[in-house]
Amino acid sequence: MGIVLVFLSAIGISHAQDKVEAKKLYIPAKVWLVPEHNNYDSKESDYSYSRMMETDNIAMF
C-alpha cells in the first residue's frame, strides 16, 4: 500500500508541475528614469532587450 501511495504522489506532483503557466514579461507604461519613447527592441536604446537579464521572477535592463 505504501508503494502505491508514493507512486500516485509522484504522478500527482509531476502533473501539477506541467500545469504551471509560463510567466509573461510586464513592462509598465511609465518607468522611472527610462526615456519616454524608449525602444526596447533597439540595441541603441539605453534599455534594450539585448542587454536584459532575467530569472523566473524578475527582469533587469
Side-chain angles (χ1 to χ4, degrees):
M1 176 100 176
I3 294 174
V4 173
L5 289 176
V6 171
F7 179 72
L8 291 176
S9 295
I11 290 173
I13 291 170
S14 67
H15 287 296
Q17 291 173 346
D18 291 341
K19 293 180 183 179
V20 174
E21 292 184 29
K23 294 181 180 182
K24 295 180 182 176
L25 181 63
Y26 169 73
I27 298 177
K30 182 73 175 157
V31 181
W32 186 56
L33 293 180
V34 175
E36 190 155 331
H37 297 290
N38 186 71
N39 181 359
Y40 292 95
D41 294 316
S42 173
K43 289 184 178 183
E44 282 75 40
S45 293
D46 290 336
Y47 301 94
S48 170
Y49 290 126
S50 66
R51 290 184 291 282
M52 181 179 75
M53 301 292 291
E54 64 181 319
T55 68
D56 291 341
N57 297 313
I58 192 167
M60 296 186 300
F61 292 89

